[in-house]
Amino acid sequence: MNITYYGHACFGVEVGGKHLLFDPFISPNEKAAHIAVDSIPADYILISHGHEDHVADVERIARRTGATLVSNFEIVSWFGAKGLSKGHPMNHGGSWKFDFGRVKYVNAIHSSTLPDGSGGGNPGGFVVQSDAGTFYYSGDTALTYDMKLLGEQFQLDFAFLCIGDNFTMGVDDALLAADFIQCDHIIGMHYDTFGYIVIDHEAARAKFAAQNKQLVLPPIGEAFQAGS
Ligand code: NI
Ligand code: MN
């Protein structure tokens, strides 16, 4: 799969000929100032929870591309009230077969208030299954034993895990999460954007390597491959 990192927790992933975009927070992110937001392709925008650092560019990109929003019921409804009517509401434990593959909305431990103070439901993550492989996008979350279910239910080819600490798992907990989900190919996210979540890249990579796991920390704007 072709993947592009747009900074913070935002990735574009090409699956089944469709462009999936996760948690777009680009225009307010100084570290992503070189990214042309209005050139990013999106057929689907998957939103893990309601926080500003995950939804900031949803409206701008959805209006241009006509992308379908996939998130929990409350977040899809909130964007629906803004006139973005192409939404697919989900809730925890549910899955749906889209034209690119199957998506399951899975548990996360975090909060989910929307930028205007509205309730954003409960936060989640996504598992995407397709002909090109299966991956997990954790969203913002603590380490949780629920992740063991993902290891038992899915054969994950790779996973996006938050590693920045303070608001989410840090590197050590993400390493345990990789064990729980039985996945050795981890792409880090939710680090370095703000002072609270700056990490030491070399030390983080070394911790994963010491357990025969790979931690990928791609430069912002870089395209790379994972899965098949
Ligand atoms: Ni958050
Ligand atoms: Mn966040």
Side-chain angles (χ1 to χ4, degrees):
M1 278 175 251
N2 294 318
I3 303 173
T4 306
Y5 186 40
Y6 295 116
H8 198 49
C10 182
F11 291 88
V13 185
E14 259 186 88
V15 183
K18 301 292 178 182
H19 291 276
L20 278 54
L21 185 67
F22 290 85
D23 286 8
F25 169 80
I26 302 151
S27 56
N29 182 0
E30 287 174 19
K31 296 194 181 307
H34 58 295
I35 301 294
V37 178
D38 294 325
S39 301
I40 294 173
D43 298 300
Y44 294 89
I45 302 176
L46 289 82
I47 306 160
S48 65
H49 66 293
H51 289 159
E52 175 74 11
D53 61 316
H54 299 260
V55 304
D57 289 313
V58 168
E59 189 172 348
R60 176 171 172 179
I61 295 171
R63 288 206 189 283
R64 171 177 56 83
T65 59
T68 298
L69 308 187
V70 181
S71 188
N72 67 31
F73 183 84
E74 290 82 356
I75 290 171
V76 168
S77 301
W78 188 76
F79 282 109
K82 291 175 175 290
L84 296 172
S85 57
K86 276 178 72 180
H88 183 102
M90 302 186 77
N91 217 325
H92 300 83
S95 69
W96 182 261
K97 180 119 174 49
F98 292 87
D99 56 1
F100 58 85
R102 181 169 285 277
V103 174
K104 186 170 188 179
Y105 190 61
V106 298
N107 296 352
I109 296 182
H110 193 66
S111 51
S112 185
T113 308
L114 284 153
D116 66 355
S118 300
N122 289 309
F126 299 98
V127 175
V128 178
Q129 292 175 283
S130 77
D131 292 341
T134 299
F135 66 91
Y136 167 51
Y137 177 93
S138 72
D140 285 7
T141 184
L143 177 67
T144 161
Y145 260 44
D146 288 351
M147 291 168 176
K148 291 194 172 194
L149 289 172
L150 305 183
E152 290 172 10
Q153 287 190 307
F154 299 100
Q155 293 270 335
L156 297 172
D157 295 294
F158 61 96
F160 301 94
L161 296 182
C162 47
I163 60 169
D165 216 342
N166 192 74
F167 298 115
T168 70
M169 294 189 288
V171 171
D172 292 334
D173 280 1
L175 197 46
L176 270 172
D179 278 341
F180 287 0
I181 64 174
Q182 299 176 35
C183 182
D184 293 338
H185 185 176
I186 303 302
I187 301 158
M189 62 180 182
H190 214 274
Y191 61 93
D192 286 0
T193 318
F194 324 111
Y196 289 123
I197 60 174
V198 172
I199 67 161
D200 179 334
H201 292 206
E202 274 317 303
R205 282 199 198 92
K207 281 184 176 179
F208 274 72
Q211 297 197 19
N212 295 316
K213 296 185 193 309
Q214 184 188 18
L215 177 67
V216 180
L217 302 174
I220 296 172
E222 172 148 309
F224 59 100
Q225 296 275 326
S228 58

